[in-house]
Amino acid sequence: MTRATARRRVLRLRGDGRTFRPDALAAEEPLEIRLGGEPLTVTMRTPGQDFDLVAGFLVGEGIVHTAEDLAALRYCAGTDENGANTYNVVDATPRGAAALPLSAHRNLLTTSACGLCGRDTVDAVRTHVRHPVGDDPLTVPPALLYGLPDRLRAAQRTFDSTGGLHAAGLFDGRSGELLCAREDVGRHNAVDKVVGWALREGRLPLTGHVLLVSGRASFELTQKAALAGVPLLAAVSAPSSLAVDLAEELGLTLVGFLRGEGANVYTRPDRIG
């Protein structure tokens, strides 16, 4: 199996001093995702929890919605120059007919609208949401919210050795307990790994939960949270305008700049109190 880190010899500069020493790097390798034996997409990721990553990606694309929708996940053909399995190809077998991925909708919309696809894109996501988050009764005290980044940071073991990974964490919205934490070179992959874990554990929809991401909150991350049934998405950095539009449309609480004892609540502030 491939590893989440790699080691390289580097020149370390400190003031006028220079030394050579080994350094840990976050691994980055391609992962080809196949659906029923047919190529679907290729993503660059940090190896590890690949089945969670694929399962979460399929949830985020509206292809599967519960654990019962996914019949099997397996590594398949993919070898290096020595004939060893690279573990860089995963085939997912869905039960029943697989839905057209949202990425296909986005590509078509972008082509036909020449980039003016924001409203249509939000509508496309809304039609794929199976677990409406607007009616979720979750309320989170500010003090509980403020404590989540430190809990996620304490779980970032690979970040401690490399300093080069994003993280996503799933929390119980009432107790603040960290249920799952995942790291990856891509913030989208980290979220997919968390959602995929929840799918495979039979936990979807994620009613009453909080999803925290270590970077900014993009449209895609908001989409992934909504499709998993998460009522509150928080980020330590800023959200994009389209992320706020989507969150407002769906009734999802979107929190940004969650640092120390402060945050900005962009949508559904009634859940914070």
Side-chain angles (χ1 to χ4, degrees), residues 8 13 20 51 65 93 95-96 104 114 129 153 163 171 184 209 215 242-243 246 251 253 257-258 260 263 272:
R8 295 290 186 274
L13 303 176
F20 285 93
F51 286 178
H65 307 281
T93 304
R95 281 195 177 90
C114 300
V129 170
R153 178 65 184 84
F171 295 85
D184 200 278
H209 290 75
L242 195 56
L246 180 60
T253 300
F257 295 105
L258 179 57
I272 309 300

Side-chain angles (χ1 to χ4, degrees), residues 209-256:
H209 290 75
V210 175
L211 179 64
L212 173 65
V213 295
S214 61
R216 62 184 180 86
S218 65
F219 170 85
E220 289 83 3
L221 296 190
T222 307
Q223 167 194 308
K224 291 176 185 295
L227 286 166
V230 176
L232 195 158
L233 171 64
V236 300
S237 191
S240 69
S241 62
L242 195 56
V244 174
D245 289 345
L246 180 60
E248 186 171 34
E249 171 82 15
L250 299 177
L252 183 149
T253 300
L254 182 57
V255 177

Side-chain angles (χ1 to χ4, degrees), residues 64-146:
V64 302
H65 307 281
T66 68
E68 289 70 29
D69 294 334
L70 194 57
L73 289 163
R74 66 183 182 89
Y75 287 106
C76 52
T79 57
D80 60 19
E81 63 276 7
N82 299 316
N85 196 323
T86 61
Y87 295 98
N88 283 339
V89 182
V90 171
D91 186 30
T93 304
R95 281 195 177 90
L100 180 65
L102 281 173
S103 55
H105 288 285
R106 285 198 294 271
N107 290 339
L108 292 171
L109 289 166
T110 301
T111 300
S112 63
C114 300
L116 301 177
C117 61
R119 179 70 257 166
D120 288 338
T121 304
V122 171
D123 287 343
V125 174
R126 179 165 51 82
T127 62
H128 281 74
V129 170
R130 294 285 189 91
H131 315 296
V133 296
D135 296 332
D136 194 308
L138 174 70
T139 58
V140 178
L144 187 149
L145 196 64
Y146 299 152

